[in-house]
Amino acid sequence: MIRTTLFPGRYIQGAGALGRLGEELARRGKRHLVVASPHPLEHLLPTVAPQLDQAGTVHLERFGRECTDAEIERLLAVAREFGAETVTAVGGGKTLDTAKAVAVRAGIPVAVVPTLASTDAPCSCICVVYTPDGVFERADILPRNPDLVLVDTAVIAKAPARFLVSGMGDALATWFEADSCRVSRAPNIAGDAGSMTAHALARLCYETVRDWGLLARSACEARVVTPALERVVEANTLLSGLGFESGGLGAAHSIHNGLTVLPGVHGLWHGEKVAFGVLASLFLTDRPAALIDEVYALCAALGLPTTFAALGIDGVSEADLARVGEKACAPEESIHNEPVEVSPALVAASLAAADAEGRRRARA
């Protein structure tokens, strides 16, 4: 059996790490295209302008807000006209994904600088493409992972704590899904079995969020960097990224995708919906009662949704739950990696059970 593990070229994290960006870019070329979301373009990059100038010639470009084919082509044209030798993205997930796609098409290195720890996308080779209206279109698997991932935890700590908590919700799924793929021998993103390394990192991801998540949230609320915050940012970004990509996905993310058919959840962040997908998957996969208790207690303490009401779908009908189950069980979904029977009806039942357990705990 062949096992494949996917990694970014280099991962750098810590308070003040943004000051290393110029030095890192200089190692990779002399002409650098930097694509940034509006806020970091105006408020963050000016603080490191002298260091960037030392890297060579830098062209700053504002990101067009959506990762679309048109935006990828626009930025590719900018990169070619400028003669870029690297592409750097500074901002949220859509900015990072766009830059990854541009770099692959241009055949040059890519550096990603996330300004939030709300997703495990920075280390991955996946680019999620949307329509101009922001509707999901497809997920492209690119031929390589980012050459550099640079995470400044002082920047992360200044963002609202809800972003960090959402990232923990996404990270919660990492071990449960990778463990299911290990048992069922389902493939990871590369199409091969996950390695021992990937599964160990996925387990560490869950343990880190479980043990340090509340302290990290407190630090973020105080807008300060502490060892707990550093641990959780690494779990949300590096451990979860390596775990999902090299370990494999399962029911939680498919249930997330199924929930998107309900308008009520559209105001929630990705990780918040994934977290409820984890709770439902615990019932679907018949996890031990002690583990279910542990995960519910953690989600409640962090402020992640544990009921339909918290998801924005209180009073959801059986027909709507059936629609969620149908989408979650679509042929291309990762729920089929689970080592148990899956069906739309079983997903709907697991969602109802997860909500009922959350409501019971709220009353206790």
Side-chain angles (χ1 to χ4, degrees):
M1 179 182 293
I2 295 176
R3 303 177 186 275
T4 299
T5 310
L6 306 170
F7 296 94
R10 178 175 290 205
Y11 181 89
I12 299 172
Q13 177 185 309
L18 190 60
R20 293 268 296 273
L21 181 58
E23 174 187 338
E24 290 296 323
L25 291 181
R27 298 174 62 248
R28 293 167 172 83
K30 296 180 179 180
R31 297 182 66 81
H32 312 286
L33 172 63
V34 178
V35 180
S37 303
H39 187 270
L41 181 65
E42 297 168 7
H43 302 283
L44 188 59
L45 288 176
T47 66
V48 294
Q51 293 93 328
L52 286 179
D53 289 340
Q54 294 174 8
T57 305
V58 176
H59 175 82
L60 299 179
E61 186 74 19
R62 182 184 294 265
F63 176 57
R65 294 190 177 273
E66 287 294 344
C67 180
T68 63
D69 286 320
E71 180 67 359
I72 292 169
E73 288 298 327
R74 182 185 76 83
L75 292 172
L76 179 60
V78 172
R80 287 172 172 165
E81 182 178 356
F82 172 62
E85 296 175 359
T86 72
V87 178
T88 298
V90 184
K94 292 182 179 182
T95 310
L96 308 187
D97 280 4
T98 303
K100 287 187 281 186
V102 169
V104 164
R105 296 191 190 188
I108 56 179
V110 62
V112 298
V113 183
T115 53
L116 304 170
S118 61
T119 174
D120 52 18
C123 295
S124 81
C125 64
I126 295 176
C127 170
V128 180
V129 180
Y130 296 84
T131 69
D133 296 326
V135 177
F136 172 83
E137 191 167 283
R138 68 181 188 277
D140 292 340
I141 299 178
L142 303 175
R144 72 171 193 268
N145 293 67
D147 300 272
L148 169 68
V149 179
L150 189 149
V151 186
D152 191 325
T153 43
V155 174
I156 301 297
K158 298 299 188 293
R162 183 181 175 185
F163 291 109
L164 182 73
V165 171
S166 177
M168 285 190 264
D170 202 11
L172 276 179
T174 304
W175 175 66
F176 295 105
E177 294 186 303
D179 191 53
S180 289
C181 290
R182 178 189 63 81
V183 173
S184 65
R185 299 192 175 184
N188 60 17
I189 296 299
D192 293 321
S195 65
M196 178 177 65
T197 299
H199 293 128
L201 293 176
R203 176 71 192 190
L204 178 61
C205 180
Y206 172 71
E207 293 172 348
T208 301
V209 171
R210 180 194 65 194
D211 297 344
W212 299 97
L214 286 173
L215 294 175
R217 188 189 69 177
S218 295
C220 193
E221 289 172 343
R223 298 168 66 87
V224 296
V225 178
T226 64
L229 181 77
E230 292 280 8
R231 289 172 185 266
V232 169
V233 169
E234 184 176 342
N236 287 8
T237 310
L238 180 62
L239 296 180
S240 187
L242 296 175
F244 98 80
E245 195 168 50
S246 296
L249 293 171
H253 277 82
S254 292
I255 293 172
H256 161 279
N257 296 343
L259 286 169
T260 62
V261 306
L262 305 179
V265 307
H266 291 177
L268 273 67
W269 295 106
H270 171 81
E272 293 169 331
K273 290 175 283 187
V274 169
F276 198 84
V278 171
L279 298 179
S281 75
L282 297 176
F283 290 92
L284 180 70
T285 57
D286 194 27
R287 294 285 186 164
L291 182 59
I292 292 175
D293 180 70
E294 179 177 277
V295 179
Y296 264 92
L298 177 59
C299 287
L302 288 173
L304 290 164
T306 61
T307 63
F308 286 161
L311 278 176
I313 56 171
D314 195 21
V316 63
S317 67
E318 291 185 7
D320 278 343
L321 288 182
R323 290 172 57 218
V324 173
E326 288 288 346
K327 184 169 178 61
C329 293
E332 69 277 8
E333 284 290 346
S334 58
I335 195 170
H336 302 291
N337 290 339
E338 294 291 345
V340 298
E341 179 188 357
V342 297
S343 70
L346 288 172
V347 170
S350 298
L351 284 163
D355 169 63
E357 179 63 11
R359 287 186 286 107
R360 182 188 72 79
R361 289 169 177 270
R363 293 192 301 268

